[in-house]
Amino acid sequence: MSRNIVIIGGGIIGVCTAYYLQKEGCKVTVIDKTNMDSGASHVNAGYITPSHFIPLATPGIITKGIKWMFNSSSPFYVKPRLDIDFLKWSLAFKKSATKEKVAKAIQPILNINLLGRDLYEDLKNTNDFNFHYEKKGLLMFYKSDKVGEEEWEVGKIGIQQGLQVENLSAKEVAKIEPNANLDIKGAVYYHSDAHMTPNLFMKEMISYLEKNGVTFYKNETVNDLQISRGEISSIITNKRALKADEVVLAAGSWSPIITKKLGLKIPIQAGKGYSINVKSDTKITIPSILCEAKVAVTPMNGFTRFAGTMEIAGINHDINPKRVAAIANAGKSYYKNLEISSKEKETANCGLRPCSPDGLPYIGKSNKCKNLTIATGHAMMGWSLGPVTGKLVSEIISDKKLSLNIDSFHPDRKF
C-alpha cells in the first residue's frame, strides 16, 4: 500500500517534493495558505545558481548591515525590532559570519546547487514538461575597481571548485551582450548558471501534479498538529483534519510558526525581495547581477525581470516604494537606454524568502518528531534548489540512498 504524505507549503520546494514523492507511488496532498499563484516562488529572479556558493552571513556583513539599517532603500535592510526570535536569529547570524564557517559552507552549497541544475535539466528533457530554461550563465557587473576585485576573488574560489569563470572587461562584455548599452567597468562571468521563468514553471508543475493524482488544498491554514508517541497523528487546518504517514514541512518563512507547535525551533527570518517586470524590449539576453546595487536582471519569457533587495522586517507583504525605486534606479544606472515606466514600478511584486542564520537550508528529519521531514530555509537559493530538495526529501521518506550528503543541512544543527 502506498504511503500517505501531506506536504505543508505549495511553493517551489513543496511542489517539487510532491513531484518526486508521487513518482515513488505515494499518495500526496499539498496544503497551502494561498491560491498558489503568488509569493516568492512566482516573483523571484528565476536563477539556477552554482555561482552562489558563498552564504549571506559573511565577515563584514554585520558592519554593512548596521550602516544599511538606517537606509530603507539599501540592498540589505534590517528593521530593528524587539522580537525574541529575531534577536536569537541575529545572534546566530553573527556567529555564522566567520571565515571558517563560510569556508565550511562552500562545498555543500555548491554541491546541492550543481545537482539542482542537473535535475532541472532532467525535468526539461522528459515528455512531462515544456518550460522555459536557458543555460547562458550569469554576469556579475561591476562599476568600480574595488567591487570588481572583490567579485573576482570569489570567482577565483569558483575556479578552484571546478566552475568555469572569466573576468571580462567592458569591451569583452559588449561582444557577448552587444545591444544592452551597458555602463560598467567589467564583469565576472559564471558559465555554470541557468535561468527560467518561475510563474510558468509553477503553473506547469501544478497542472502536471493535479493530472497525476496529487490533491491540493489551497487557501487553507494549518492551525494545529496533533502529536501521539512522538509522531504527528493529525494535521488540523481551518477546514479539515488530515491523517498522514509522513509530513513534509515546506512552508518557507511560515515554517517556524508550525514547528513551534511541536516544541521544535528552527531559526528563520523572512527576507523580503521585490521584482519589477519590464515588458519593453530591453535588448538584454544574458542574466546579470548589478553588484553594487545587489539587483538581479533576468531575460524571461516575454519580459525582463529586475529583482532584488533583502529586507528582514518580519512576515508582511507591504510594498516599500523606496525599495522598488532603488531597483529601478539601479537598472537605469547600469543600462543606459533602459526605461522602466511608472506603471511597471507601481505593479511591482514582493515575496518572502526563508533565511536561516548560516545561509544553509534545513533538509532532513528532526530528532524531535519521527514522521516529519523539514525542507525550508533556502533563502535566495530557493528556486535553484527546488528539484534537488524534493528529490532528497523523497529519498529520506522512501528510505533510499541519498543523492548527496546532507549533514550540513540538519534541522537540529547548533548555531
Side-chain angles (χ1 to χ4, degrees), residues 265-292:
K265 294 181 180 179
I266 51 170
I268 282 178
Q269 285 293 306
K272 188 190 297 181
Y274 295 81
S275 68
I276 307 169
N277 294 339
V278 177
K279 297 290 179 68
S280 59
D281 185 4
T282 61
K283 310 295 184 186
I284 297 167
T285 64
I286 301 174
S288 65
I289 289 181
L290 317 181
C291 291
E292 284 85 356

Side-chain angles (χ1 to χ4, degrees), residues 231-344:
E231 292 189 353
I232 298 170
S233 58
S234 186
I235 302 102
I236 312 298
T237 78
N238 58 323
K239 295 181 181 179
R240 72 195 82 235
L242 294 165
K243 301 288 186 183
D245 298 316
E246 294 280 341
V247 178
V248 179
L249 179 61
S253 297
W254 290 264
S255 298
I257 298 169
I258 295 169
T259 58
K260 276 185 179 180
K261 301 177 189 300
L262 303 169
L264 169 63
K265 294 181 180 179
I266 51 170
I268 282 178
Q269 285 293 306
K272 188 190 297 181
Y274 295 81
S275 68
I276 307 169
N277 294 339
V278 177
K279 297 290 179 68
S280 59
D281 185 4
T282 61
K283 310 295 184 186
I284 297 167
T285 64
I286 301 174
S288 65
I289 289 181
L290 317 181
C291 291
E292 284 85 356
K294 310 294 185 195
V295 167
V297 183
T298 316
M300 293 189 178
N301 193 347
F303 59 94
T304 304
R305 177 166 289 172
F306 292 78
T309 80
M310 177 65 80
E311 179 182 327
I312 308 291
I315 292 181
N316 69 79
H317 285 90
D318 300 335
I319 301 287
N320 185 335
K322 287 184 179 179
R323 300 186 73 70
V324 174
I327 293 171
N329 292 338
K332 289 188 279 189
S333 173
Y334 286 74
Y335 297 95
K336 286 183 275 191
N337 290 346
L338 179 68
E339 287 299 328
I340 298 178
S341 70
S342 297
K343 184 178 179 181
E344 286 165 337

Side-chain angles (χ1 to χ4, degrees), residues 205-244:
M205 176 60 84
I206 292 166
S207 175
Y208 170 87
L209 293 173
E210 288 175 334
K211 289 174 185 174
N212 285 272
V214 173
T215 300
F216 287 90
Y217 291 130
K218 301 176 184 178
N219 300 306
E220 289 200 26
T221 303
V222 174
N223 290 335
D224 201 8
L225 300 171
Q226 292 183 348
I227 311 298
S228 176
R229 298 178 183 177
E231 292 189 353
I232 298 170
S233 58
S234 186
I235 302 102
I236 312 298
T237 78
N238 58 323
K239 295 181 181 179
R240 72 195 82 235
L242 294 165
K243 301 288 186 183

